[in-house]
Amino acid sequence: MLRVEEVQSVEFSSALILKFDEIVSRYPEGKSKSALLPILHEVQAVYGWLSSAAMDKVAEYLQIQSIEVYEVATFYTMFFLKPQGKFVLEVCRTGPCCLVGAEKIMDYIGDKLGVKEGEVTADGLFSYRGVECLAACGYAPVLQIGPEYTFYENLTPESVDQLIENLKNK
Amino acid sequence: MGRKLLLEHINVPGINTFQVYKEKGGYRAVEKALKTMSSDDMVEEVKKSGLRGRGGAGFPTGMKWSFLAKPEGVPRYLVCNADESEPGTFKDRYLMTHIPHALIEGMIVGSYALGANTSYIYVRGEMMPQIRILEKAIAEAKAAGFLGKNILGSGYDLEIYVQPGGGAYICGEETALLESLEGKRGNPRIKPPFPAIAGLYGCPTVVNNVESIAATVPIVNEGGEEYAKIGIGRSTGTKLISASGNINKPGVYEIELGLSVEDFIYSDEYCGGIANGKRLKAVVAGGSSVPILPANLILNLANGDKRLMSYESLSEGGFATGTMLGSGGFVVLDEDQCIVRNTWNFSRFYHHESCGQCSPCREGTGWMEKVLHRLEYGHGKMSDIDLLVDVSKKIEGNTICPLGDAAAWPVASAIRHFRDEFEWHVKEPKLALEKNYGLAHYADPIKVAEEVSVN
């Protein structure tokens, strides 16, 4: 079952529409659906997640059916279909990272933030989740934070403390 | 000290910029190709080089290029597969981060060889910093006249665009990648037709890995025959190896194919030995999808010779005693690591990443993960071990794309080589829990099991 949280309406800014236009220009005529993933990234970078209203608006812009947007957004793990914390700490939990302590780092983050995986802290600032291989096994454990997907490598409890403090002051 | 073709200037300050890259001899291949070589010459040089696909499959790149259909009036495409997400593999991220122009230059010579006027670099979405780096490199190359209309006055036009993925391992499979690039779910296509006949937008397309494309630059510069002199046998040239796990010096290394596995693990030039003075237990040599090998088999062949870092030597003995070079994702496990836990972790990955299109993969990966999970968490039965072997056999070879095989091989090989460890988890679940989770859980193994639902 598709679980998409509803919001009333969304209006894209003219700057965002200009960005969409530039993205569409990368593909041959009649192939603008190729712009779907890049456009969804742009929308998520602005709003923090993809609401049904935002996805409908994307469908309208690309002149495709809304279901074509939903089926893509639900397939790819980078797209959030409900609101998240302002900062989503995505910790790689796959093999090589786990060999050097990724699970302990996840536990530490959960304890420190006082929330379970996928939950948002009361102040709305943080959520965290485990993600599959981030292709940075040599610098493990690692985490990333969108929308720029900034990387933090060789994590320790101390570096996590510092990171969270820095983000609180951002 | 092995010869470096891709990472020779990795430590030069500013090598990520067009100016410094060019000062170090960059973009010579574009000038040589466009001014002195035909498309056919280019394909021939890559064939002579013996270059094999560096993404994992190892298919000869020149042959792949020669398959490209060339109907009149139909565009052709070169698509770079930069959707690196095979556990253990991080070489492409490294290359794109530090020497982005090596990829852009390779894209230009490759596109010229294939007659493509528009090319795409499909980068996994999580690599947003690398996407920005590549976009900057493309802008620099264009400003210098190496991209756009009438490149270097040759009459050849080319535009390169970067496409972000959405976080799906399956998009590393070439037809799933093309589906994704067309704005759809990354479901692999049934082959044939192969992309060389009907690829992006139904047009002839070649999909190559980042490292393969970058490797065409030294091949053009030095000639295919010279490139083929490096390496050993049919494993020609150099290869980027991503080394991780319990080693002293994890990182990306460029090796000449033919180096011994032992030297790669223990020499100071590369991994620097096992971390914390531990002993080597096992290695996953080519990314998580290839069979795991215990220490004795990864270091030595059946006849006692040293096993080498090459396509042939690593696969010697088939899957009974061998593995694959794959993507070059080299994951080292020390004596303290639990094979059951490691296998479960990889199995969870493949379950999570199965696109769900084929029943054996969709159902089988989940089944294997659940069984491994209960073995790991102290609820396993002895019959589970054969059940895992049975399920893995039923997935292998029965899916549209190789993800099914990739999910089956780690499980089958772990049981083949470490069956006693699986049996120990069944016989001594409390001890296994204590080993992996500590004394607190030894007192209450059920608590651990409840932390994640076991079906």
Side-chain angles (χ1 to χ4, degrees):
Chain A
M1 185 181 148
L2 183 64
R3 290 178 189 152
V4 180
E5 206 149 312
E6 300 293 328
V7 295
Q8 288 301 313
S9 66
V10 164
E11 286 300 326
F12 294 145
S13 68
S14 52
L16 198 54
I17 296 288
L18 271 179
K19 182 68 188 171
F20 292 175
D21 293 345
E22 184 276 315
I23 291 170
V24 166
S25 74
R26 301 170 190 172
Y27 314 102
E29 205 177 332
K31 304 297 179 190
S32 58
K33 194 180 171 187
S34 279
L36 182 51
L37 266 76
I39 283 178
L40 289 178
H41 279 299
E42 294 293 336
V43 174
Q44 182 160 290
V46 171
Y47 295 94
W49 64 292
L50 300 177
S51 65
S52 59
M55 288 193 281
D56 290 343
K57 226 37 184 174
V58 168
E60 193 182 309
Y61 172 82
L62 287 174
Q63 297 182 310
I64 57 178
Q65 299 296 316
S66 289
I67 187 64
E68 293 179 79
V69 181
Y70 293 170
E71 68 182 10
V72 164
T74 53
F75 183 82
Y76 296 95
T77 55
M78 290 182 75
F79 299 125
F80 299 129
L81 302 179
K82 63 178 185 180
Q84 307 289 312
K86 182 180 174 189
F87 304 107
V88 186
L89 278 55
E90 299 186 306
V91 186
C92 179
R93 61 176 181 183
T94 313
C97 275
C98 281
L99 291 179
V100 291
E103 290 158 309
K104 286 179 183 161
I105 288 293
M106 275 191 72
D107 289 345
Y108 185 79
I109 291 172
D111 290 344
K112 186 170 177 64
L113 297 178
V115 291
K116 288 182 180 167
E117 188 179 350
E119 293 176 351
V120 182
T121 53
D123 58 8
L125 273 184
F126 296 102
S127 52
Y128 80 101
R129 65 172 185 163
V131 292
E132 297 299 345
C133 186
L134 292 181
C137 324
Y139 328 111
V142 297
L143 69 76
Q144 64 181 10
I145 302 174
E148 287 302 316
Y149 292 92
T150 318
F151 237 71
Y152 299 88
E153 302 167 350
N154 300 307
L155 295 171
T156 61
E158 293 74 30
S159 66
V160 167
D161 288 344
Q162 188 64 54
L163 168 64
I164 289 176
E165 273 315 301
N166 292 346
L167 290 173
K168 277 180 183 169
N169 298 323
K170 224 173 173 182
Chain B
M1 192 82 169
R3 194 167 166 196
K4 306 276 186 283
L5 299 177
L6 299 177
L7 304 184
E8 184 183 358
H9 302 299
I10 191 76
N11 293 320
V12 174
I15 194 67
N16 59 327
T17 64
F18 177 85
Q19 189 185 342
V20 175
Y21 180 77
K22 190 151 189 309
E23 282 167 11
K24 288 292 170 188
Y27 287 96
R28 277 185 299 133
V30 175
E31 297 195 29
K32 182 176 177 183
L34 269 57
K35 289 177 179 172
T36 68
M37 297 171 79
S38 70
S39 296
D40 290 344
D41 293 339
M42 298 275 298
V43 175
E44 205 48 44
E45 285 305 316
V46 176
K47 272 187 174 174
K48 280 185 204 165
S49 75
L51 176 69
R52 293 163 70 171
R54 303 303 200 213
F59 189 81
T61 305
M63 197 180 292
K64 193 173 190 178
W65 285 14
S66 70
F67 290 157
L68 190 75
K70 296 180 177 175
E72 283 292 314
V74 176
R76 294 166 224 150
Y77 294 101
L78 171 63
V79 176
C80 173
N81 184 346
D83 191 60
E84 184 173 65
S85 41
E86 170 98 354
T89 310
F90 50 100
K91 66 191 176 66
D92 293 342
R93 171 194 289 270
Y94 185 80
L95 191 69
M96 290 187 288
T97 304
H98 298 287
I99 320 184
H101 285 283
L103 175 58
I104 304 305
E105 185 176 11
M107 286 294 290
I108 298 170
V109 297
S111 299
Y112 173 71
L114 299 169
N117 298 112
T118 305
S119 295
Y120 296 96
I121 306 174
Y122 182 100
V123 185
R124 67 177 306 194
E126 290 94 334
M127 292 192 195
M128 215 52 91
Q130 285 69 29
I131 288 171
R132 304 287 175 242
I133 289 168
L134 289 173
E135 285 175 339
K136 181 168 177 279
I138 288 169
E140 287 178 331
K142 193 164 183 175
F146 285 86
L147 279 172
K149 296 275 182 200
N150 192 23
I151 299 170
L152 305 179
S154 65
Y156 175 60
D157 306 335
L158 175 65
E159 296 292 346
I160 298 175
Y161 299 106
V162 182
Q163 177 85 352
Y169 168 74
I170 189 59
C171 292
E173 195 280 334
E174 61 178 0
T175 60
L177 185 152
L178 295 174
E179 285 285 295
S180 182
L181 183 44
E182 292 181 5
K184 294 178 270 186
R185 297 169 80 106
N187 285 345
R189 299 172 181 170
I190 293 172
K191 295 190 278 192
F194 289 88
I197 307 297
L200 184 64
Y201 311 129
C203 300
T205 302
V206 165
V207 182
N208 283 145
N209 175 256
V210 171
E211 187 186 348
S212 309
I213 290 173
T216 61
V217 172
I219 290 170
V220 170
N221 281 335
E222 306 198 20
E225 282 175 15
E226 285 301 309
Y227 185 90
K229 287 176 186 169
I230 303 168
I232 185 167
R234 288 177 52 237
S235 297
T236 62
T238 64
K239 173 88 188 81
L240 298 182
I241 304 291
S242 330
S244 66
N246 308 123
I247 46 175
N248 284 316
K249 292 167 58 188
V252 175
Y253 298 101
E254 183 171 12
I255 63 161
E256 287 189 25
L257 287 166
L259 176 76
S260 78
V261 172
E262 186 176 328
D263 282 347
F264 183 67
I265 294 175
Y266 290 101
S267 77
D268 285 338
E269 190 182 348
Y270 301 107
C271 302
I274 310 302
N276 303 313
K278 302 279 183 184
R279 283 184 305 177
L280 175 66
K281 179 172 186 175
V283 170
V284 178
S288 65
S289 61
V290 310
I292 189 170
L293 285 187
N296 62 323
L297 289 179
I298 191 64
L299 296 175
N300 303 300
L301 301 173
N303 66 5
D305 288 350
K306 285 184 178 180
R307 199 182 284 276
L308 309 179
M309 302 285 282
S310 73
Y311 292 93
E312 289 75 24
S313 185
L314 281 167
S315 62
E316 177 139 339
F319 284 173
T321 57
T323 182
M324 295 164 73
L325 179 64
S327 62
F330 199 88
V331 187
V332 177
L333 282 72
D334 71 23
E335 58 188 309
D336 290 343
Q337 298 299 338
C338 170
I339 296 296
V340 177
R341 181 154 188 73
N342 191 63
T343 310
W344 166 61
N345 191 302
F346 281 161
S347 203
R348 180 183 64 192
F349 172 82
Y350 288 104
H351 179 206
H352 185 269
E353 300 299 326
S354 173
C355 77
Q357 191 176 192
C358 310
S359 304
C361 181
R362 181 183 63 244
E363 303 299 329
T365 53
W367 198 356
M368 288 198 300
E369 191 214 328
K370 284 172 186 169
V371 173
L372 281 161
H373 193 191
R374 72 180 178 223
L375 275 164
E376 164 68 8
Y377 282 86
H379 293 262
K381 296 173 280 189
M382 207 53 92
S383 59
D384 282 347
I385 303 168
D386 285 331
L387 176 65
L388 284 169
V389 174
D390 188 46
V391 175
S392 72
K393 278 182 185 161
K394 284 174 175 147
I395 300 173
E396 187 183 346
N398 291 316
T399 52
I400 288 173
C401 84
L403 193 138
D405 296 350
W409 291 340
V411 176
S413 60
I415 295 174
R416 183 183 307 126
H417 299 299
F418 296 95
R419 191 178 185 104
D420 55 345
E421 207 165 315
F422 284 82
E423 292 179 354
W424 183 70
H425 269 250
V426 178
K427 289 176 190 165
E428 302 288 353
K430 289 185 178 180
L431 291 179
L433 280 170
E434 182 192 347
K435 180 176 185 293
N436 288 343
Y437 301 95
L439 282 170
H441 291 302
Y442 173 75
D444 187 5
I446 301 301
K447 181 169 172 276
V448 179
E450 284 173 350
E451 284 175 3
V452 192
S453 62
V454 179
N455 295 310

